[in-house]
Amino acid sequence: MAVRPGLWPALLGIVLAAWLRGSGAQQNATVANPVPGANPDLLPNFLVEPEDVYIVKNKPVLLVCKAVPATQIFFKCNGEWVRQVDHVIERSTDGSSGLPAMEVRINVSRQQVEKVFGLEEYWCQCVAWSSSGTTKSQKAYIRIAYLRKNFEQEPLAKEVSLEQGIVLPCRPPEGIPPAEVEWLRNEDLVDPSQDPNVYITREHSLVVRQARLADTANYTCVAKNIVARRRSASAAVIVYVDGSWSPWSKWSACGLDCTHWRSRECSDPAPRNGGEECQGADLDSRNCTSDLCVHTASGPEDVALYVGLVAVAVCLLLLLLVLILVYCRKKEGLDSDVADSSILTSGFQPVSIKPSKADNPHLLTIQPDLSTTTTTYQGSLCPRQDGPSPKFQLTNGHLLSPLSGGRHTLHHSSPTSEAEDFVSRLSTQNYFRSLPRGISNMAYGTFNFLGGRLMIPHTGVSLLIPPDAIPRGKIYEIYLTLHKPEDVRLPLAGCQTLLSPIVSCGPPGVLLTRPVILAMDHCGEPSPESWSLRLKKQSCEGSWEDVLHLGEEAPSQLYYCQLEAGTCYIFTEQLGRFALVGEALSVAAAKRLKLLLFAPVACTSLEYNIRVYCLQDTRDALKEVVQLEKQLGGQLIQEPRVLHLKDSYHNLRLSIHDVPSSLWKSKLLVSYQEIPFYHIWNGTQQYLHCTFTLERVSPSTSDLACKVWVWQVEGDGQSFNINFNITKDTRFTELLALESEGGVPALVGPSAFKIPFLIRQKIITSLDPPCSRGADWRTLAQKLHLDSHLSFFASKPSPTAMILNLWEARHFPNGNLSQLAAAVAGLGQPDGGLFTVSEAEC
C-alpha cells in the first residue's frame, strides 16, 4: 500500500508516541520496533552505538551514535529526551547501500551525572527512525571515575626463615573503575611470568612460594586506574637463615692429660640476616681410651675428702634449720593480741592527731568524731543474669577485727601481705574477678566521712574522696586499679581511639552523697572541631556504655569532666570502670606520642641494639616501659620527645642515619622500618617499638654518633642526634625519675588535703550564699578559671565545695595555699579571717 508523502510526518508522530508509551522497560541491547506492514529490512541499523564511559575529574565525555537508514536520530538519557540544541547531527549517504545515514554526538558533563548520583546509574540511549519504524541502541552507562587515597589493607613487615612461604596481603582503595594492582620489590616491578616462585592471587596478595635470601627487600603494593595511582606503605621483608652446625671433626690425638677433643663450626649454614646462632658447644672433649694413658683408681685419700665435704654440708643445713626455728618463735611473740581500750572510744581516726604548738596558733587539731560507728556496708552490687545478687561485705577495716566482749585485736603485718589479703578478698566477688592479681598498679584504703585520696604512683591516676562524700556512720574499703589494655576488652568502632588508661574504682554500688574525682592522663590534643570525646563506663554485665559526651554535659548528669592539657578530672557519684575515648572528626585530629630511645647498660658483645618506643603520652604507659627496660637491662640514651600523630591513615616510619662506617655497621637491610597506623591509633597495644641493630667493628669501640628519625608520612616528625659513650655515659638515666610523681598510695582524713578541714568549712559557709557584691562562689570560679563549669557547680548543694574539691584534685601535693588565699581575698573576703582558726573552734 502506497502512502502519500505528506502523511509521513503524521505517521512518524504516531509511531514515536507509541514508542514513548512502551519505552518504560530499560533495554541493554539494540531493539527494533517496526511499523506494521512496513519492510523490516529498512529498519534503522546502528553502525556505531554509544559505549560505557568514565568521567575523569571534570572533563565531559562524548557519546556517538550512527544509524542507516535513518531519517531522525536522537539521544535519551535516564528516561528523558536530550534537548535538540545539545545534539550535533550529520547527514550522509551510506556508500554500500545508498541509503540515508545519520550520525549524532552529545557531551555529558559531570554535573549532569551528579544530579542522579546515588539514586541510580546515569545512562544514555540512541533512538533512530526510518520509514519502517524505530530502533533503540544499547544503553551506555556514564560513571564518575575516582580512586580513594587509603588502602583497605596494606602489607605488613615480616621476618621469615629461608624456604618459608610469604603472603603479603593488599586490598586496594575503593575506586571506579576498580583498581588494578601490581607489586614493587625495591621499586622494581614484580613480574610473576618471569619468576615462577611468585604469583599474585585474585585478592591481590603477593605470594612467595619459598623464601630466598634474594627476596629480602621492601615490597610496595601499587593500585591504579584511569584516575590516579596509589602506593601503599612499604613492607620490609627479611629472610633470615638460622645457623646450623657442621659435622664434628675427627677426634684429636690423646694428650698428656689423657683427653682428646673434636670441634664443629656454625657454618652449615651460617646464620644470616638476624637468624639464630647455633645452640650448644663448638668443642667437645672426653677421656682417652688409648693404652698410652694410665688410669688409676681413687685412693683412700679421695674417699676421705668426699666424706668430709658431705659432713660439712649436713652441719650447715642443720644450723640453718635451727636459725629458722628461733626466728619463727620470736615472730610469734610479736604477734600476740594487744587489747587497747582507747580503740573503743576513738572511733575511726585515720591520721595521727597532734596538739597545737604554742608557736603555731593556726595549726588545726581535728578531734575524733564520736558519732561515727563501726558499720558494715552490704549494698547490692552488679547482679549477674545467671545467679542471685552477690553481696560485698565491708567491715570496719582489715586492721581492726571485732572480738567477743567488745574488744579489738590489732594485727601486725607487712604492707605487702595486707595488699595480697585485700586482693584475695576482692577476688571472691564476681565483679572483681577481672582485677589484676598484682599490687603494683593498685591502691586501696579504708575511709569514712572525712574522705581521703588514693594514688597509683608514677601513673597520674588518683581518686579524691572529698569530705562528706561517704555518709556519716559508714566506713568503706575502696580500691583504685589501673588495667593493661590487653586485659580488658574495650570495643572501639570506626575512627575511635583510646586516649586514656582504663581505670577501675570501687566497689561499685556503694552509696556516695557527693561526687568523687577520678584523675587520669590522656594523650589527645582536644578541640571541638577535631574531636568528639566520650567517657565510657563498663556495666555490670560487661558491656561498655557512653555515659558522657564531653561538651554536651547536662548539670543533672551523674558524671562531669574537666578536661585539661594532658589530664582529665571526672566527677562521678558512681564507682566503676572508666576510659576516655575519642573519635576524629577531621584529619587535623592528633594524639600525642612519646618517643623513647633505650639501649643496653652494658654491652658485652659486638652487637648493640637501639630500641625506639612509640607510646601514648601518658605517665602510666611510660611507667610500663621503664619497668620493662629495667628487666631488660636498658638505659635511656636520649631525652624523650613528643610527636603528634594525625588521623591521616599514614604509617609511622623510623630510620637510622650517619652511622660511622669505620666504627659501626648497621644491620638494617632496608632504608626504614614502619609501625602501621592502626597499631598506634587504636591505643590498645603496649610496647610498640622498632629495634636498630648495630655491630661494632672492634670490641674497643665505645663512642657512638648517629641520627634516628621518626616521622609520619605527610605529618609530624622528630630527629634524635645520638652522641655518647656506650660504656660510660648515663646522663639521661635520671630524666624519667624527674618526670614521675611519687607519693603514698593511700592518704586518709585531713592529711589527704591541702586545705585544712575547718578552714575549708569556713570558706564554704562564706561563699555559698549569693552575694549582691559578687563576693560568692561564682567569682571564685572565675578567678580560678573554672567559670565554664558554673552550671554544674550550681546544680550541687554546695558549689564552693565542688570548686575546692577540684582545686584539691588539680594541685595536690604541690598546691600553693597562698594563691588560693589571694583569690579569696580578692572577693572582698579577708583572707586572714578565713585562713585562721581560733582556739575555741579547735
Side-chain angles (χ1 to χ4, degrees):
M1 180 180 67
V3 180
R4 288 182 298 175
L7 295 178
W8 274 117
L11 181 60
L12 284 177
I14 294 172
V15 171
L16 176 60
W19 181 86
L20 287 174
R21 287 194 299 270
S23 63
Q26 294 185 358
Q27 303 292 335
N28 291 324
T30 303
V31 177
N33 293 316
V35 174
N39 185 0
D41 295 335
L42 296 179
L43 284 172
N45 179 41
F46 286 101
L47 303 179
V48 177
E49 293 188 77
E51 296 181 350
D52 294 347
V53 67
Y54 296 97
I55 295 179
V56 179
K57 297 182 179 178
N58 292 318
K59 297 179 180 178
V61 294
L62 179 66
L63 298 181
V64 180
C65 181
K66 185 175 182 180
V68 62
T71 58
Q72 294 291 338
I73 189 168
F74 291 101
F75 268 102
K76 185 178 187 180
C77 294
N78 274 64
E80 296 182 2
W81 291 102
V82 178
R83 296 184 308 170
Q84 186 172 3
V85 295
D86 294 332
H87 291 75
V88 177
I89 300 176
E90 293 183 4
R91 300 177 183 269
S92 61
T93 302
D94 183 59
S96 60
S97 63
L99 296 174
M102 294 188 71
E103 181 177 319
V104 61
R105 296 184 180 89
I106 64 169
N107 285 317
V108 179
S109 67
R110 183 187 184 103
Q111 290 76 14
Q112 291 174 264
V113 177
E114 286 179 339
K115 286 182 181 179
V116 296
F117 183 76
L119 301 176
E120 57 179 320
E121 288 191 292
Y122 193 91
W123 57 267
C124 291
Q125 189 176 39
C126 187
V127 182
W129 287 266
S130 72
S131 59
S132 297
T134 62
T135 305
K136 306 177 200 175
S137 73
Q138 66 181 6
K139 287 184 178 180
Y141 288 91
I142 300 93
R143 300 177 177 92
I144 298 175
Y146 67 92
L147 185 62
R148 300 198 185 281
K149 291 184 178 181
N150 301 315
F151 280 73
E152 294 184 4
Q153 184 179 14
E154 294 186 291
L156 301 178
K158 290 180 179 292
E159 293 185 4
V160 298
S161 60
L162 191 66
E163 297 184 352
Q164 180 182 344
I166 304 173
V167 178
L168 295 176
C170 176
R171 292 169 57 192
E174 178 188 350
I176 293 178
E180 299 177 356
V181 172
E182 61 186 21
W183 284 86
L184 302 179
R185 179 197 287 129
N186 286 344
E187 303 304 321
D188 294 328
L189 181 66
V190 176
D191 187 358
S193 64
Q194 302 295 324
D195 186 354
N197 192 42
V198 300
Y199 67 93
I200 300 174
T201 68
R202 291 182 178 179
E203 294 77 24
H204 311 300
S205 298
L206 179 66
V207 178
V208 180
R209 291 183 171 89
Q210 290 185 319
R212 305 155 295 189
L213 288 175
D215 294 321
T216 297
N218 281 329
Y219 289 84
T220 308
C221 181
V222 179
K224 60 181 180 179
N225 65 4
I226 59 176
V227 178
R229 186 173 187 266
R230 312 288 189 203
R231 292 168 55 101
S232 73
S234 297
V237 174
I238 298 177
V239 181
Y240 62 86
V241 179
D242 290 332
S244 182
W245 291 111
S246 65
W248 287 102
S249 65
K250 294 183 179 180
W251 288 101
S252 67
C254 191
L256 296 177
D257 56 351
C258 288
T259 61
H260 60 172
W261 56 270
R262 61 178 181 172
S263 64
R264 58 181 179 175
E265 295 180 350
C266 188
S267 59
D268 191 21
R272 297 186 63 180
N273 294 351
E276 292 186 359
E277 296 285 343
C278 300
Q279 303 296 318
D282 59 353
L283 191 66
D284 183 24
S285 63
R286 69 180 183 183
N287 291 333
C288 296
T289 57
S290 173
D291 295 338
L292 297 176
C293 292
V294 179
H295 301 278
T296 59
S298 299
E301 297 83 359
D302 296 333
V303 175
L305 175 61
Y306 294 144
V307 171
L309 291 175
V310 171
V312 170
V314 171
C315 291
L316 291 175
L317 181 60
L318 291 174
L319 179 60
L320 179 61
L321 291 175
V322 171
L323 292 175
I324 292 175
L325 289 174
V326 172
Y327 172 76
C328 291
R329 289 185 177 275
K330 288 185 177 181
K331 188 174 184 298
E332 287 176 2
L334 291 176
D335 285 339
S336 58
D337 291 349
V338 180
D340 187 352
S341 61
S342 65
I343 299 175
L344 299 177
T345 58
S346 61
F348 180 80
Q349 194 168 330
V351 295
S352 58
I353 307 300
K354 299 181 180 180
S356 300
K357 297 182 180 179
D359 56 350
N360 191 357
H362 302 309
L363 183 64
L364 284 179
T365 300
I366 305 300
Q367 298 298 328
D369 178 26
L370 299 181
S371 65
T372 301
T373 58
T374 302
T375 61
T376 299
Y377 171 74
Q378 195 171 1
S380 176
L381 301 180
C382 302
R384 289 183 176 265
Q385 299 298 331
D386 55 350
S389 173
K391 304 288 185 178
F392 181 69
Q393 303 286 339
L394 286 179
T395 66
N396 59 330
H398 54 281
L399 296 179
L400 292 176
S401 301
L403 294 178
S404 59
R407 300 175 62 237
H408 291 72
T409 300
L410 295 180
H411 298 286
H412 299 272
S413 59
S414 65
T416 302
S417 65
E418 293 173 9
E420 292 171 352
D421 176 65
F422 179 75
V423 174
S424 66
R425 282 187 285 112
L426 287 181
S427 63
T428 62
Q429 305 298 323
N430 288 335
Y431 181 79
F432 303 105
R433 288 175 184 168
S434 62
L435 291 178
R437 296 298 179 261
I439 59 173
S440 62
N441 285 333
M442 184 177 188
Y444 68 96
T446 308
F447 302 90
N448 71 348
F449 79 99
L450 291 175
R453 186 188 305 263
L454 291 174
M455 293 178 292
I456 302 178
H458 313 298
T459 64
V461 176
S462 66
L463 180 69
L464 179 73
I465 307 166
D468 291 322
I470 297 175
R472 290 179 180 254
K474 299 286 186 180
I475 296 176
Y476 294 164
E477 207 167 35
I478 296 178
Y479 67 85
L480 180 66
T481 302
L482 175 64
H483 299 271
K484 293 184 178 180
E486 62 266 25
D487 295 337
V488 178
R489 187 178 181 274
L490 173 61
L492 299 174
C495 299
Q496 288 185 338
T497 173
L498 180 63
L499 297 177
S500 75
I502 302 174
V503 178
S504 290
C505 54
V510 297
L511 175 64
L512 297 174
T513 57
R514 300 284 189 275
V516 297
I517 301 179
L518 176 64
M520 55 186 179
D521 287 357
H522 69 85
C523 62
E525 289 291 331
S527 65
E529 300 80 15
S530 303
W531 284 103
S532 173
L533 301 176
R534 299 177 186 272
L535 179 67
K536 287 184 175 287
K537 182 176 183 287
Q538 191 174 29
S539 67
C540 300
E541 290 76 19
S543 61
W544 287 86
E545 303 170 349
D546 292 339
V547 295
L548 181 65
H549 187 182
L550 273 67
E552 299 180 6
E553 302 94 338
S556 58
Q557 284 183 304
L558 295 174
Y559 310 93
Y560 198 83
C561 183
Q562 159 74 5
L563 190 69
E564 298 183 358
T567 308
C568 58
Y569 300 94
I570 301 166
F571 291 82
T572 175
E573 297 181 28
Q574 292 184 354
L575 303 183
R577 184 172 295 167
F578 297 94
L580 183 66
V581 171
E583 182 173 0
L585 301 179
S586 69
V587 294
K591 57 190 298 186
R592 298 187 313 277
L593 300 183
K594 178 150 286 189
L595 308 178
L596 302 169
L597 272 62
F598 282 90
V601 174
C603 184
T604 58
S605 64
L606 293 179
E607 283 193 354
Y608 190 74
N609 293 323
I610 298 177
R611 292 179 289 275
V612 184
Y613 290 88
C614 305
L615 318 172
Q616 299 207 137
D617 187 18
T618 58
R619 281 170 283 183
D620 62 289
L622 180 64
K623 175 184 176 181
E624 292 292 331
V625 168
V626 171
Q627 291 178 342
L628 174 65
E629 281 295 330
K630 285 183 179 178
Q631 298 173 4
L632 298 177
Q635 65 170 339
L636 190 70
I637 62 172
Q638 275 288 303
E639 186 174 351
R641 303 280 180 83
V642 173
L643 181 142
H644 294 84
L645 184 78
K646 289 187 177 181
D647 182 22
S648 61
Y649 300 98
H650 288 298
N651 296 343
L652 199 66
R653 294 183 176 178
L654 304 92
S655 60
I656 189 167
H657 305 272
D658 300 342
V659 179
S661 57
S662 60
L663 301 176
W664 296 85
K665 181 174 67 175
S666 173
K667 288 195 170 184
L668 185 65
L669 301 178
V670 292
S671 58
Y672 57 82
Q673 301 186 63
E674 280 193 325
I675 300 178
F677 169 81
Y678 289 104
H679 290 188
I680 309 174
W681 189 258
N682 183 267
T684 59
Q685 298 194 31
Q686 290 186 307
Y687 314 131
L688 286 174
H689 72 284
C690 287
T691 300
F692 295 101
T693 301
L694 305 178
E695 184 176 358
R696 293 185 285 180
V697 175
S698 168
S700 61
T701 300
S702 59
D703 291 326
L704 174 61
C706 62
K707 293 180 180 179
V708 172
W709 293 351
V710 184
W711 76 101
Q712 184 185 20
V713 179
E714 299 182 9
D716 192 15
Q718 290 288 357
S719 174
F720 294 87
N721 294 319
I722 300 175
N723 190 353
F724 77 115
N725 188 295
I726 66 173
T727 61
K728 301 177 183 178
D729 204 337
T730 60
R731 64 181 183 273
F732 299 105
T733 305
E734 298 180 356
L735 286 178
L736 295 182
L738 296 177
E739 291 186 359
S740 303
E741 92 286 354
V744 180
L747 294 172
V748 293
S751 63
F753 305 97
K754 291 290 293 182
I755 307 172
F757 183 79
L758 293 184
I759 293 178
R760 168 191 170 91
Q761 294 304 111
K762 294 186 69 174
I763 296 176
I764 292 172
T765 303
S766 301
L767 299 184
D768 268 352
C771 180
S772 59
R773 294 180 291 108
D776 58 12
W777 63 269
R778 293 176 178 80
T779 309
L780 177 62
Q782 293 173 358
K783 286 183 173 294
L784 298 179
H785 306 292
L786 301 175
D787 46 313
S788 60
H789 310 301
L790 291 180
S791 58
F792 170 71
F793 297 146
S795 68
K796 302 303 175 185
S798 174
T800 308
M802 293 296 102
I803 296 173
L804 297 182
N805 294 344
L806 182 55
W807 187 91
E808 289 277 8
R810 297 170 69 195
H811 296 92
F812 190 87
N814 302 316
N816 190 334
L817 275 178
S818 299
Q819 293 180 353
L820 180 61
V824 174
L827 305 179
Q829 300 280 357
D831 58 336
L834 289 179
F835 281 79
T836 58
V837 181
S838 66
E839 184 177 353
E841 290 176 307
C842 291

